[in-house]
Amino acid sequence: MLDHFHLAKGGGFPDHPHRGQATVTYMIEGASQHEDSEGHKGVIKTGGVQWMCAGRGVIHSEIPLHVEGAKNPNGLQLWVDLPKEHKMSKPSYQELDAEEIPSAYPYGEDGDVRIKLISGKSFGVESPVRPLGGCWYMHIFLKKQGSRVFQDLPAGWTSFVYTLQGSVFVNKEGGETVHEQYHTLVLSSAANETGVSIEAASDDTEVVLISGEPLDQGVVQYGPFVMTSEAEIRQTLRDYHYGQNGFEKAGTWKSDLGQQFLKEYGEH
């Protein structure tokens, strides 16, 4: 699941739980503050990423950081299902500021294509992020109309392109359809498909390309919980209600961020 968020004052996500998935927050513009029940807190700055593995359970608060005179914070949050064997793992974080995220330049640093590697591999460059389960996540910049790149992808993975800015052709040899801003394009996961061709149909085009390894397991989502069966969801609700199995602080912990947010804006 991918959410493209734009948060005005009064928008935010005070204390809420997660179990069973990783949440990947990538800030395109502005910054977002976070704080959790494990004692982890900080700020995701413009261009930075936080890869949070919720595992067996975490409660956290996510509040945008507004600066007078600046545009409202916006970014992407991706939910990545965890393999069943990792759903009850200890919560963990992988965080990178913008300057720590590597980029690949298929035509050299002076070329028209840049691939920012939040996770995965591209043209000999590899991200330091190590997800639990296979997931590649790239922000691709195409400077000029006609700029193009073929990005290799693991065969059989589930992949999609999301147009952040401008417009693109995807696998143009299959047709001349122009895909405009804010569209999601699901790619074939056939075994003989090993990548995708992306060409800018306008200057200053940006897309994200996301690819995930298929999991041979059920998917049952209930609010902020993602498990493999309804029985596991019921157990998760019991664990959260009774403060056990990863949710020991559910009845007592409150974030400073969330309390300040509710004081200023009240409950939504």
Side-chain angles (χ1 to χ4, degrees), residues 211-254:
S211 186
E213 183 178 15
L215 300 175
D216 185 18
Q217 62 189 41
V219 180
V220 180
Q221 179 192 345
Y222 186 87
F225 307 128
V226 182
M227 303 302 287
T228 65
S229 68
E230 291 184 4
E232 290 178 350
I233 290 291
R234 289 192 294 270
Q235 183 61 53
T236 297
L237 294 172
R238 285 194 292 269
D239 288 344
Y240 186 63
H241 179 76
Y242 291 110
Q244 61 189 20
N245 296 328
F247 290 121
E248 283 76 10
K249 297 182 181 178
T252 58
W253 182 82
K254 293 182 179 180

XYZ file of all heavy atoms in Angstrom, residues 211-254:
352
model
N 9.251 -2.561 -6.197
C 9.133 -3.968 -6.574
C 9.295 -4.827 -5.326
O 10.212 -4.610 -4.527
C 10.207 -4.322 -7.608
O 10.040 -5.642 -8.094
N 8.390 -5.782 -5.138
C 8.431 -6.620 -3.950
C 8.392 -8.103 -4.279
O 7.732 -8.531 -5.234
N 9.101 -8.861 -3.477
C 9.115 -10.310 -3.638
C 7.781 -10.891 -3.169
O 7.343 -10.616 -2.055
C 10.257 -10.907 -2.823
C 10.433 -12.403 -2.969
C 11.614 -12.911 -2.175
O 12.125 -12.189 -1.305
O 12.030 -14.063 -2.446
N 7.104 -11.690 -4.007
C 5.824 -12.273 -3.590
C 5.996 -13.173 -2.367
O 7.002 -13.879 -2.228
C 5.388 -13.083 -4.811
C 6.145 -12.511 -5.957
C 7.456 -12.059 -5.383
N 5.016 -13.127 -1.473
C 5.032 -13.951 -0.265
C 3.940 -15.003 -0.365
O 2.780 -14.675 -0.656
C 4.806 -13.082 0.980
C 5.838 -11.977 1.229
C 5.429 -11.128 2.424
C 7.225 -12.570 1.431
N 4.299 -16.245 -0.128
C 3.334 -17.352 -0.194
C 2.621 -17.456 1.152
O 2.875 -18.360 1.949
C 4.059 -18.653 -0.545
C 3.096 -19.816 -0.760
O 1.885 -19.542 -0.970
O 3.533 -20.972 -0.695
N 1.736 -16.484 1.404
C 1.028 -16.436 2.679
C -0.230 -15.584 2.528
O -0.348 -14.792 1.603
C 1.922 -15.831 3.772
C 2.351 -14.396 3.495
C 3.405 -13.886 4.451
O 4.348 -14.596 4.804
N 3.259 -12.638 4.893
N -1.162 -15.768 3.425
C -2.367 -14.958 3.412
C -2.069 -13.522 3.829
O -1.052 -13.241 4.466
N -2.962 -12.617 3.460
C -2.856 -11.213 3.868
C -4.206 -10.777 4.425
O -5.207 -10.753 3.708
C -2.467 -10.294 2.691
C -2.380 -8.844 3.170
C -1.154 -10.724 2.071
N -4.218 -10.459 5.717
C -5.432 -9.957 6.358
C -5.063 -8.657 7.066
O -4.241 -8.649 7.988
C -6.025 -10.963 7.371
C -7.284 -10.388 8.001
C -6.329 -12.287 6.690
N -5.648 -7.549 6.604
C -5.394 -6.249 7.210
C -6.596 -5.814 8.042
O -7.741 -5.927 7.607
C -5.107 -5.186 6.151
C -4.867 -3.802 6.751
C -4.881 -2.694 5.715
O -4.796 -2.949 4.509
N -5.007 -1.454 6.170
N -6.310 -5.325 9.227
C -7.349 -4.728 10.071
C -6.755 -3.446 10.642
O -5.925 -3.489 11.543
C -7.772 -5.677 11.187
C -8.942 -5.159 12.010
C -10.258 -5.405 11.629
C -8.715 -4.403 13.166
C -11.320 -4.930 12.364
C -9.775 -3.916 13.910
C -11.072 -4.185 13.506
O -12.134 -3.690 14.243
N -7.141 -2.293 10.070
C -6.567 -1.031 10.509
C -5.052 -1.046 10.359
O -4.530 -1.310 9.274
N -4.310 -0.802 11.449
C -2.855 -0.723 11.373
C -2.140 -2.059 11.539
O -0.923 -2.094 11.709
C -2.519 0.206 12.543
C -3.555 -0.143 13.566
C -4.812 -0.436 12.796
N -2.901 -3.160 11.506
C -2.320 -4.490 11.697
C -2.413 -5.284 10.390
O -3.454 -5.281 9.724
C -3.067 -5.254 12.793
C -3.186 -4.497 14.096
C -4.422 -4.336 14.707
C -2.072 -3.950 14.703
C -4.545 -3.640 15.901
C -2.178 -3.252 15.902
C -3.422 -3.093 16.504
N -1.324 -5.982 10.045
C -1.307 -6.813 8.835
C -0.774 -8.189 9.221
O 0.405 -8.349 9.533
C -0.435 -6.194 7.726
C -0.502 -7.070 6.467
C -0.884 -4.778 7.406
N -1.654 -9.187 9.191
C -1.276 -10.538 9.573
C -1.656 -11.508 8.457
O -2.058 -11.081 7.363
C -1.943 -10.914 10.902
C -1.625 -9.945 12.050
S 0.150 -9.768 12.397
C 0.486 -11.356 13.173
N -1.548 -12.804 8.711
C -1.805 -13.784 7.650
C -3.141 -14.494 7.790
O -3.510 -15.271 6.920
C -0.679 -14.844 7.607
O -0.698 -15.600 8.820
C 0.677 -14.188 7.435
N -3.866 -14.239 8.884
C -5.157 -14.901 9.071
C -6.025 -14.067 10.015
O -5.524 -13.223 10.778
C -4.975 -16.305 9.662
O -4.486 -16.230 10.999
N -7.320 -14.313 9.989
C -8.223 -13.622 10.901
C -7.946 -14.011 12.346
O -8.084 -13.174 13.255
C -9.677 -13.931 10.531
C -10.104 -13.313 9.200
C -11.574 -13.539 8.907
O -12.278 -14.104 9.770
O -12.025 -13.131 7.814
N -7.516 -15.247 12.563
C -7.185 -15.683 13.922
C -6.015 -14.863 14.472
O -6.009 -14.473 15.647
C -6.848 -17.172 13.936
N -5.016 -14.583 13.619
C -3.875 -13.771 14.058
C -4.295 -12.329 14.332
O -3.768 -11.687 15.249
C -2.769 -13.812 13.001
C -2.072 -15.167 12.900
C -1.009 -15.205 11.827
O -0.924 -14.255 11.018
O -0.260 -16.195 11.773
N -5.235 -11.820 13.552
C -5.755 -10.479 13.814
C -6.477 -10.441 15.155
O -6.289 -9.511 15.960
C -6.692 -10.019 12.684
C -5.899 -9.739 11.394
C -7.491 -8.790 13.111
C -4.993 -8.515 11.454
N -7.295 -11.451 15.426
C -7.992 -11.488 16.719
C -6.999 -11.552 17.877
O -7.179 -10.878 18.905
C -8.962 -12.675 16.756
C -10.186 -12.507 15.860
C -11.245 -13.551 16.153
N -10.808 -14.889 15.807
C -10.995 -15.456 14.618
N -11.599 -14.768 13.646
N -10.583 -16.683 14.372
N -5.926 -12.326 17.705
C -4.912 -12.403 18.752
C -4.196 -11.059 18.917
O -3.906 -10.640 20.043
C -3.893 -13.491 18.420
C -2.819 -13.691 19.493
C -3.413 -14.102 20.827
O -4.181 -15.063 20.912
N -3.076 -13.362 21.886
N -3.962 -10.374 17.812
C -3.330 -9.056 17.865
C -4.198 -8.076 18.641
O -3.700 -7.299 19.473
C -3.070 -8.530 16.441
O -2.141 -9.393 15.777
C -2.501 -7.123 16.471
N -5.503 -8.094 18.380
C -6.418 -7.205 19.101
C -6.427 -7.519 20.596
O -6.460 -6.605 21.435
C -7.829 -7.309 18.520
C -7.982 -6.796 17.074
C -9.363 -7.130 16.537
C -7.749 -5.289 17.024
N -6.373 -8.805 20.937
C -6.302 -9.185 22.352
C -4.984 -8.707 22.966
O -4.965 -8.176 24.089
C -6.438 -10.708 22.499
C -7.854 -11.235 22.316
C -7.989 -12.675 22.791
N -7.245 -13.596 21.938
C -7.750 -14.209 20.874
N -9.020 -13.998 20.535
N -7.022 -15.039 20.159
N -3.890 -8.892 22.241
C -2.595 -8.472 22.750
C -2.567 -6.966 23.008
O -2.039 -6.502 24.037
C -1.484 -8.840 21.757
C -1.213 -10.338 21.703
O -1.651 -11.060 22.627
O -0.569 -10.781 20.731
N -3.132 -6.198 22.076
C -3.149 -4.744 22.241
C -4.055 -4.333 23.405
O -3.707 -3.454 24.207
C -3.601 -4.082 20.937
C -3.520 -2.574 20.966
C -2.289 -1.928 21.111
C -4.662 -1.790 20.847
C -2.205 -0.542 21.142
C -4.592 -0.408 20.876
C -3.358 0.203 21.029
O -3.286 1.578 21.067
N -5.194 -4.994 23.519
C -6.152 -4.677 24.590
C -5.568 -4.997 25.972
O -5.712 -4.201 26.916
C -7.454 -5.458 24.385
C -8.471 -5.211 25.445
N -9.229 -4.055 25.501
C -8.857 -5.969 26.513
C -10.033 -4.102 26.548
N -9.832 -5.251 27.176
N -4.886 -6.133 26.068
C -4.364 -6.574 27.365
C -2.912 -6.165 27.605
O -2.358 -6.456 28.671
C -4.507 -8.092 27.499
C -5.946 -8.541 27.633
C -6.582 -9.232 26.606
C -6.679 -8.250 28.783
C -7.902 -9.630 26.713
C -8.004 -8.652 28.908
C -8.614 -9.337 27.872
O -9.925 -9.727 27.989
N -2.288 -5.497 26.628
C -0.920 -5.037 26.818
C 0.088 -6.159 26.959
O 0.832 -6.229 27.941
N 0.149 -7.023 25.945
C 1.026 -8.183 26.014
C 1.638 -8.483 24.647
O 1.212 -7.942 23.628
C 0.241 -9.406 26.507
C -0.910 -9.807 25.589
C -1.821 -10.874 26.167
O -1.848 -11.092 27.374
N -2.589 -11.540 25.302
N 2.653 -9.368 24.628
C 3.262 -9.874 23.385
C 3.696 -8.765 22.428
O 3.448 -8.821 21.227
C 2.294 -10.831 22.666
C 1.994 -12.070 23.464
O 2.844 -12.552 24.218
N 0.781 -12.589 23.328
N 4.373 -7.763 22.971
C 4.854 -6.656 22.149
C 4.141 -5.353 22.382
O 4.637 -4.283 21.991
N 2.979 -5.415 23.017
C 2.198 -4.205 23.299
C 2.117 -3.919 24.796
O 1.107 -3.434 25.304
C 0.790 -4.332 22.721
C 0.741 -4.277 21.221
C 0.207 -5.330 20.503
C 1.229 -3.180 20.528
C 0.148 -5.296 19.111
C 1.182 -3.135 19.143
C 0.639 -4.191 18.427
N 3.191 -4.219 25.523
C 3.184 -4.059 26.977
C 2.934 -2.623 27.418
O 2.427 -2.391 28.523
C 4.517 -4.568 27.559
C 4.621 -6.083 27.651
C 4.873 -6.769 26.316
O 5.153 -6.064 25.315
O 4.797 -8.013 26.258
N 3.258 -1.653 26.587
C 3.082 -0.245 26.970
C 1.780 0.363 26.437
O 1.566 1.575 26.548
C 4.278 0.569 26.480
C 5.592 0.159 27.114
C 6.745 1.020 26.624
C 8.064 0.587 27.257
N 9.215 1.388 26.768
N 0.922 -0.484 25.855
C -0.290 0.027 25.205
C -1.187 0.815 26.154
O -1.816 1.798 25.751
C -1.076 -1.119 24.581
N -1.258 0.409 27.408
C -2.163 1.091 28.332
C -1.559 2.247 29.086
O -2.277 2.987 29.777
N -0.243 2.439 28.958
C 0.425 3.449 29.778
C 1.214 4.494 28.997
O 1.330 5.629 29.437
C 1.404 2.759 30.756
O 2.355 1.978 30.007
C 0.643 1.821 31.703
N 1.754 4.125 27.836
C 2.650 5.035 27.126
C 1.885 6.057 26.301
O 0.904 5.734 25.620
C 3.579 4.244 26.208
C 4.561 5.109 25.469
C 5.742 5.591 25.930
C 4.428 5.606 24.122
N 6.362 6.358 24.976
C 5.581 6.385 23.851
C 3.446 5.466 23.134
C 5.784 7.014 22.630
C 3.639 6.092 21.917
C 4.799 6.848 21.674
N 2.340 7.310 26.368
C 1.828 8.376 25.510
C 3.015 9.192 25.023
O 3.894 9.539 25.810
C 0.849 9.271 26.266
C -0.446 8.572 26.663
C -1.395 9.527 27.370
C -2.695 8.825 27.743
N -3.632 9.743 28.441
